[in-house]
Amino acid sequence: MFSVIMPAYNAEKSIGRAIASVLGQSRADWELLVIDDGSTDGTAAVAESFADSRVRCLHQENGGVSAARNRGIREAQGDYICFLDADDVWRAGHLAELAELINTFPDCGLYCTGHDTRLRDGRLIHRTERCLRDAPGQRFVCSDGYGALARYGYFLITGALCVPQRALDRVGLFAPGVRSGEDDDLWLRIFAYYPVAVSRVVTMEYDRRQSGLTARRAERYENPFPGRVATLLRDPAVTEERKESLRTWRERNRLSRSRQCLLAGDRAGARDYLRRVEPARVPPGKYLTTWLALGLPTGFLRQIVRCRDRHYYREK
């Protein structure tokens, strides 16, 4: 059975559509746990209005998305844990596609379907198709998740993922108190020990209308995973292939953090991260432009990123 975890905070306007998308699944072997994370609007009332015994609404004081998801995982009765935020939706075949992946690749620690992104003007862009255009097939397995990220870019999104309970028992749950990157931290921990199964079939819509990507780029990214890398590199249970890819991931993350510091106006931090990067493990063009960007005004750099994002998402 699938256990679907839906954290919700002041999501009165969107949560009904999200829950309806779970009710509309072609498979019926699921439970939905809505975690009302201290909402002050009608979120709980909307969730409790669905007359289906498979939908449970749990209430807690506001503790953030990690605490809400962890509460749901602990209460879950299924062997496979799925996630859906209260402003996103699944298409009718989402759980069926995940079941196909699980049956085909039973030993994986993470299962991922394709997703589209809904822009603020209502249009959809086909994010997965862009990332996985060179993938080996419609459904495939990656023995090395870190290498897959380097090869395809960031093709994962939380609402399209499914994790076996056994994998969570091994690597732990979401890091509490982390404001950003808490989901990446968990997936990257799973990558250390398990292969990843991927489907290019688009079964989920990520709603970007409530987000501001460029604004978030100027915030500090708190993913705690970089602090775990040294321990994982010493772990004999992690294969040498994954360790090698993890070393490359570490260097690319340092470069990314340097660029994030630049957007936040922290040039000293940017320079510190950049000096620690092994150039041979990162894209040379990004490495060079980051050094050059140290001499440019922060406002100008943010404008460049804003223009790039508009071009990437083809927003007006």
Side-chain angles (χ1 to χ4, degrees):
M1 181 175 74
F2 294 99
S3 292
V4 184
I5 311 302
M6 182 180 293
Y9 176 72
N10 288 350
E12 177 183 6
K13 295 181 179 179
S14 62
I15 193 171
R17 183 167 172 258
I19 293 175
S21 77
V22 180
L23 290 167
Q25 290 300 297
S26 59
R27 291 182 66 101
D29 56 338
W30 55 263
E31 63 170 352
L32 171 61
L33 291 86
V34 179
I35 316 301
D36 175 28
D37 191 35
S39 297
T40 58
D41 65 357
T43 295
V46 174
E48 291 169 348
S49 70
F50 287 86
D52 191 305
S53 61
R54 296 171 296 177
V55 179
R56 287 193 281 155
C57 188
L58 308 176
H59 306 276
Q60 64 180 35
E61 293 184 4
N62 181 255
V65 66
S66 291
R69 287 176 179 153
N70 289 345
R71 169 84 183 278
I73 292 169
R74 294 188 183 102
E75 299 272 355
Q77 299 175 2
D79 293 325
Y80 293 91
I81 309 299
C82 303
F83 305 94
L84 183 65
D85 287 347
D87 55 354
D88 297 328
V89 295
W90 285 344
R91 296 177 184 173
H94 178 70
L95 292 180
E97 184 62 24
L98 285 173
E100 187 66 30
L101 275 178
I102 292 167
N103 290 334
T104 306
F105 308 110
D107 298 325
C108 291
L110 192 70
Y111 298 90
C112 174
T113 67
H115 70 277
D116 286 341
T117 299
R118 187 168 295 280
L119 303 181
R120 287 191 284 273
D121 62 6
R123 291 179 297 122
L124 283 178
I125 62 170
H126 307 298
R127 177 69 168 137
T128 302
E129 291 181 10
R130 289 186 179 186
C131 288
L132 301 180
R133 58 184 177 272
D134 298 325
Q138 191 79 331
R139 300 184 184 100
F140 59 100
V141 66
C142 305
S143 62
D144 172 18
Y146 307 116
L149 289 181
R151 187 178 310 116
Y152 302 121
Y154 203 85
F155 59 90
L156 305 171
I157 196 163
T158 301
L161 302 184
C162 175
V163 182
Q165 183 67 59
R166 56 179 166 77
L168 295 171
D169 291 341
R170 180 172 188 175
V171 306
L173 305 184
F174 292 95
V178 178
R179 294 183 300 173
S180 60
E182 76 291 330
D183 45 0
D184 292 345
D185 171 54
L186 180 53
W187 318 144
L188 291 166
R189 277 184 273 148
I190 291 173
F191 285 177
Y193 301 103
Y194 295 96
V196 180
V198 181
S199 170
R200 296 173 65 180
V201 178
V202 174
T203 64
M204 182 260 177
E205 291 182 13
Y206 164 62
D207 196 325
R208 191 172 172 267
R209 286 175 290 188
Q210 302 303 316
S211 66
L213 179 61
T214 305
R216 290 202 311 274
R217 290 186 190 275
E219 298 176 357
R220 291 305 180 93
Y221 188 54
E222 296 183 2
N223 181 358
F225 183 75
R228 309 183 195 275
V229 171
T231 299
L232 290 172
L233 290 175
R234 293 192 298 268
D235 189 343
V238 181
T239 67
E240 288 304 317
E241 176 193 18
R242 291 173 187 155
K243 286 180 179 179
E244 183 62 18
S245 291
L246 182 52
R247 293 184 183 98
T248 296
W249 180 92
R250 178 182 59 191
E251 300 311 309
R252 292 188 175 213
N253 180 72
R254 285 172 175 166
L255 181 60
S256 177
R257 291 239 174 161
S258 176
R259 296 162 79 92
Q260 289 162 6
C261 285
L262 280 173
L263 290 177
D266 179 6
R267 296 184 181 278
R271 189 175 290 105
D272 180 62
Y273 275 118
L274 198 52
R275 284 172 175 167
R276 288 186 283 149
V277 171
E278 294 180 27
R281 290 186 181 271
V282 300
K286 283 189 176 182
Y287 181 69
L288 176 61
T289 57
T290 305
W291 274 112
L292 294 175
L294 286 170
L296 298 175
T298 300
F300 180 68
L301 294 175
R302 290 179 180 175
Q303 183 64 31
I304 291 175
V305 171
R306 191 174 297 114
C307 291
R308 187 184 65 185
D309 287 344
R310 286 173 180 167
H311 175 74
Y312 179 82
Y313 289 104
R314 296 193 178 96
E315 292 179 302
K316 296 178 180 179

